[in-house]
Amino acid sequence: LIAQFPDTRFILFGDDSQHDPLVFERIASKYPKNVRSVFLRKTGWGEPFEIQLPPADNTDIDVHLYEHFSEIEKPVNNLINEITAGR
C-alpha cells in the first residue's frame, strides 16, 4: 500500500498481542518518510517489547503505547488537526 502511495503519510494502529510491533518496526524502517505515527495498545498478552525506529534525524514518527483509548485522545486529535490544516 505504501509503495502505491509514496507521497502519503500513514498512521499505524495495532496491539502487542501478536506481531504488530515487529511488522510496524519493519514498515517504519523501510518507509521512514511515510509513517507519521504508530499506536500500539498494550493488551497484556504479548511479551514486553520496545519498537526500534529509524534514527530521529531521518523521521518524525511518533510512537504511542497505551492501555485505554482515552490515553490517545489528545495525540489522535492533534493528528486530525494536522491533517485537516494541511488541506
Side-chain angles (χ1 to χ4, degrees), residues 1-85:
L1 191 61
I2 293 173
Q4 296 296 319
F5 298 94
D7 298 326
T8 301
R9 307 246 1 245
F10 291 83
I11 300 168
L12 309 177
F13 281 88
D15 63 42
D16 65 356
S17 65
Q18 294 184 5
H19 302 289
D20 294 354
L22 179 60
V23 170
F24 290 177
E25 183 178 289
R26 289 181 180 166
I27 291 169
S29 294
K30 186 171 182 178
Y31 303 100
K33 304 272 189 230
N34 296 93
V35 177
R36 175 61 184 91
S37 294
V38 173
F39 290 86
L40 287 165
R41 186 173 65 89
K42 297 185 275 184
T43 64
W45 290 95
E47 294 293 320
F49 64 90
E50 183 175 319
I51 190 166
Q52 300 293 321
L53 297 176
D57 58 338
N58 292 339
T59 184
D60 61 349
I61 300 171
D62 297 326
V63 178
H64 303 275
L65 307 176
Y66 66 98
E67 291 182 34
H68 306 283
F69 289 112
S70 61
E71 297 173 55
I72 61 169
E73 183 177 358
K74 184 176 180 178
V76 168
N77 284 331
N78 289 342
L79 286 168
I80 291 168
N81 291 335
E82 180 182 308
I83 292 166
T84 55

